[in-house]
Amino acid sequence: MDRSSIERRRHQRGIMVMLSLTLFIIIVFIISMNIGQIRLSPSEVWQTLIGEGTRRQGLILFDFRLPQIVISIMVGAGLAVSGCILQGIMRNPLAEPGILGINAGAGLAVLIFVYFYPSSVFGSVFMMPLVALIGAGAAALLIFGIAHKKGEGISAIRLVLSGIGVAAGINACMIIISLRLDPQNYQLIYVWLAGSITGTNWTYVLAFLPWIVLIFPYVLYKAKVMNVLNLGDATALGLGAAVSKERTRLLVAAVALAGACVAVGGSIGFVGLIGPHLARRLVGPRHQLLLPTSMLCGALLLIVADTITRGISITIPTGIIVAIIGAPYFLYLLAKNHA
């Protein structure tokens, strides 16, 4: 079998995988519309969608449930693509915005914004992604600066340990600041920092949508560049790639996505780690297939976690469910990478 036939079969398999993931997302989406503290039967959901439901059912479905489901899909996709970019440009299987402390930096920036402008807690939704981007960028610069060693570059373990250390320091700062908030705002911030998309509305969707629309196509356009960067700096330079510039641009895209996700969904970890790894197992390392598959894997993971959160009787943040799923997988990857 010649190379073109192998590539064609790989591409066809990747398309089938993406179609299957899309189908699973649609199925979970339909199930999720029925689940919540106030249950809606499938017939009630259908009647509400076609405009024949009651006013109460319309309020539940259109004003509360649907925006939360859409945000979970968008945030999951954004975090997974951000993780895929970081793993690709750093050639580090453990790279992920939550583990590296980028999410923590975004969270600290948002918390400081809320502390100084308490009257607009989550009110200035369109400002939140910009504020989070500044915090995420500052954290990324600090972490990569600490992890870099002259003459050796950045090793995988040093990067992870630097990220964990910086994240721990940032989390301590967030606790100190949050304790100075009034009780009502403290409760909101506490739930949000744990990773909660409860209470989101269509304004959050509109605030987050431009970041997805602008960054996703750019990253997909750079898929071939990411394939070249995976070959190593020397090989990439030999092939004519502007390694430093391309890596910086992609890093900015990854940080921007992570910051925007934290702004609307809180500090949800592990999605950026699990999504790309699952995608890589399904479609291989080529970023033309890996990036969109990672996006779908992340979206599926978070919509499932959100559905579970609303399906159980005890209200807990979605980030806790994701952490329960992701923590064992992270430990497995850390042990495997160390070995």
Side-chain angles (χ1 to χ4, degrees), residues 69-318:
I69 296 171
V70 173
I71 280 291
S72 68
I73 292 174
M74 295 169 66
V75 170
L79 288 173
V81 170
S82 178
C84 187
I85 296 170
L86 291 173
Q87 290 174 17
I89 64 177
M90 299 304 303
R91 288 182 292 142
N92 182 350
L94 300 176
E96 190 262 345
I99 295 170
L100 296 184
I102 296 173
N103 285 0
L108 178 61
V110 172
L111 181 57
I112 292 173
F113 176 77
V114 171
Y115 178 74
F116 284 104
Y117 299 96
S119 60
S120 59
V121 177
F122 302 114
S124 183
V125 178
F126 290 90
M127 276 293 297
M128 302 289 264
L130 295 174
V131 173
L133 172 60
I134 295 172
L141 288 175
L142 178 60
I143 292 161
F144 285 102
I146 295 174
H148 185 272
K149 191 173 182 180
K150 190 175 181 180
E152 296 182 14
I154 300 175
S155 70
I157 294 298
R158 193 160 56 240
L159 181 64
V160 172
L161 292 177
S162 298
I164 292 174
V166 170
I170 292 175
N171 287 329
C173 293
M174 287 194 289
I175 292 173
I176 294 172
I177 296 173
S178 63
L179 290 175
R180 300 177 65 87
L181 296 171
D182 62 76
Q184 182 180 0
N185 288 343
Y186 174 79
Q187 182 66 26
L188 288 171
I189 288 294
Y190 177 79
V191 175
W192 174 77
L193 288 176
S196 175
I197 53 181
T198 303
T200 53
N201 52 46
W202 292 113
T203 305
Y204 285 77
V205 176
L206 292 175
F208 189 41
L209 187 60
W211 298 79
I212 296 290
V213 172
L214 292 174
I215 296 177
F216 275 16
Y218 174 77
V219 173
L220 291 173
Y221 173 72
K222 291 292 184 179
K224 291 184 179 179
V225 173
M226 294 180 67
N227 290 336
V228 173
L229 293 178
N230 268 343
L231 299 175
D233 290 0
T235 304
L237 286 170
L239 293 173
V243 174
S244 180
K245 288 184 178 180
E246 295 292 355
R247 182 174 287 135
T248 300
R249 291 167 182 167
L250 287 166
L251 179 60
V252 170
V255 170
L257 268 179
C261 289
V262 172
V264 298
S267 186
I268 299 175
F270 297 111
V271 176
L273 177 73
I274 300 175
H277 275 276
L278 291 177
R280 195 171 287 106
R281 287 176 178 270
L282 291 172
V283 299
R286 291 177 61 85
H287 285 85
Q288 288 91 335
L289 295 174
L290 180 60
L291 283 165
T293 306
S294 297
M295 176 185 70
L296 293 171
C297 286
L300 180 61
L301 175 61
L302 200 55
I303 192 177
V304 168
D306 176 60
T307 303
I308 293 173
T309 300
R310 286 187 284 110
I312 60 180
S313 57
I314 303 173
T315 303
I316 60 174
T318 307

Side-chain angles (χ1 to χ4, degrees), residues 93-94 99 157 160 164 270 273-274 277 323-339:
L94 300 176
I99 295 170
I157 294 298
V160 172
I164 292 174
F270 297 111
L273 177 73
I274 300 175
H277 275 276
I324 292 173
I325 299 172
Y329 193 70
F330 168 67
L331 293 175
Y332 162 74
L333 288 176
L334 187 61
K336 183 179 178 181
N337 186 72
H338 184 67

